[in-house]
Amino acid sequence: MSKFIPPYPKPMRKRGMLLQLLLRPAKFLRSRSCTISSLSDRAYGMHMGELGTPGRRVYIANQPELVKRVLVDEAEGFPKAKVISDMLELLLGDSIFVSNGEVWKRQRRMMDPAFAQARIKIVFDLMLDAADALFQRMDAKANGGEMNIDEEMMHVAADIIFRTIFSRPLEGEEARLIFAAFVRFQEAAFAKGIAQAVGVPGWAMRKGTRVSQESAAEIRGVLDPIVKARFDSFHAGEAQTHQDILQSLVSVKDPETGTHFDLRELCEQVAMLFLAGHETSASALSWTLYLIANDQSVQEAMHKEAVKIFGDREPKFQDMKRLEATRNAFAEALRLYPPVAFLPRAAARECPMRDKVLPKGSMVSVSPWLMQRHRRYWTEPDTFDPSRFDDPATTEAQRQCYIPFSKGPRVCLGASFALQEAAIILSGLVRRYTFDPVPGFEPKPIARLTVRSENGIRLKVSRRPSPPATFS
């Protein structure tokens, strides 16, 4: 039986190169809405690319050795590009996602303990509570009809972040406000950042800047008061009873200087965790469900695995490492639809790279999207095939070309958190429901801050005949 090939923006073929050159200005304008829509067929097999934009040249490191050089071996020589702060500073300030140099090193020293393995185990029960809330919402709607599954995944991912950071759920009007604000912020901030990167004057971006400011203020208006109350309580010497991520961040000291995060820093780090934690997870979970809806054999293997491991009891922390079918399906979804398509860096000094000499300040981008679909390193790279992660023949490709969480010193500090979250949510969903495609519907992948579907992800969802009790 042929495997499922999910949709993605079809690249320009070689025979269309003349037309591609003629359309380059239009394709650049399209890239302000989606960074993967203007890729050529050659991009999926090249080792290094060079892209001319109206304001500068962008180099794409698309070979394992170059990726390792940029992200690992010479990471300090390739700090995060300014385009990242241009997009996100209104919401995230100088948080760990956008900072560089000594500021980043201090932040990383202080934030690593919040995501250590012991902390991941502590928040496990909070994740189960969020999963239960998801099942309760879905039970009322899972009657075989259509469901906007990306909206459900956005809600549960945001709820998990809220519970694990703040020890309380995200519900009702608060949830709707944040969801709507994040949609507006992502579109406006991405377009603004790309425009600034190529020298579009500030007056031409006034509307986008205003939308970014307003939506960032709405989001921070929900998050900052909660952070301030906990910060004030801790520094007033009051007894602290929470065991959550915020408590870890409030109390942590820099092991080198003995200093705490100040209130501004703390609010920015929490905003970063909320944005990165719920947006990327919602994307990956939504795509996984879409993929297994279109490959019922994978979905049934995940269902049987969950039933065998859990039986009628609630999951336990040690169960997560046994969910092999679930882990492979999620890994394959991350390969096909990495939450972040491009990782922009800047050359701190003039440097040779293959047959080119990159000027100081050049943007050098590593692309999980391209590396994980690279024609030279993956067999049937556009096909949904979770079994490839059990195939010894793919070991080298996984080691060198699989980078959904980046790699090196700036590897995502929430990777273990995200994998645990996915295992809980996906195993619980396939244990309780069946997912089927909606006839005639196909999602349209776009890459802005994250890789999402422009027209959402709709699936038919049904309760299984004998669903288990809720987790808690």
Side-chain angles (χ1 to χ4, degrees), residues 1 8 24 32 37 59 110 177 186 220 243 268 276 308 341 425:
M1 185 176 70
Y8 73 103
R24 182 170 285 174
R32 290 185 61 197
S37 63
Y59 300 90
M110 297 174 73
L177 184 153
Q186 175 166 196
R220 292 288 293 269
Q243 286 192 319
E268 291 175 352
K308 179 180 179 181
I425 297 300

Side-chain angles (χ1 to χ4, degrees), residues 28 53-56 193-202 205:
F28 166 71
T53 71
R56 65 162 64 185
I194 293 295
Q196 284 183 293
V198 297
V200 174
M205 300 181 292

Side-chain angles (χ1 to χ4, degrees), residues 22-68:
L22 292 173
L23 292 178
R24 182 170 285 174
K27 294 178 78 176
F28 166 71
L29 291 176
R30 286 175 62 199
S31 74
R32 290 185 61 197
S33 298
C34 172
T35 56
I36 59 176
S37 63
S38 58
L39 293 170
S40 69
D41 185 62
R42 178 177 173 272
Y44 289 86
M46 67 186 182
H47 278 153
M48 184 173 176
E50 184 177 355
L51 174 66
T53 71
R56 65 162 64 185
R57 304 202 75 76
V58 177
Y59 300 90
I60 300 176
N62 209 44
Q63 181 182 23
E65 293 80 3
L66 297 182
V67 170
K68 184 171 180 286

Side-chain angles (χ1 to χ4, degrees), residues 168-241:
R168 74 171 181 82
L170 177 65
E171 298 174 323
E173 187 59 33
E174 197 172 53
R176 287 187 288 274
L177 184 153
I178 284 184
F179 298 159
F182 265 115
V183 169
R184 294 194 303 275
F185 179 82
Q186 175 166 196
E187 182 173 358
F190 177 80
K192 171 177 171 283
I194 293 295
Q196 284 183 293
V198 297
V200 174
W203 59 263
M205 300 181 292
R206 281 199 296 264
K207 182 178 178 181
T209 300
R210 186 182 73 252
V211 172
S212 296
Q213 289 172 333
E214 291 172 351
S215 51
E218 287 186 65
I219 297 164
R220 292 288 293 269
V222 173
L223 304 179
D224 288 2
I226 307 172
V227 176
K228 184 177 186 305
R230 190 83 67 85
F231 178 89
D232 291 343
S233 173
F234 175 81
H235 287 281
E238 298 173 1
Q240 304 297 301
T241 59

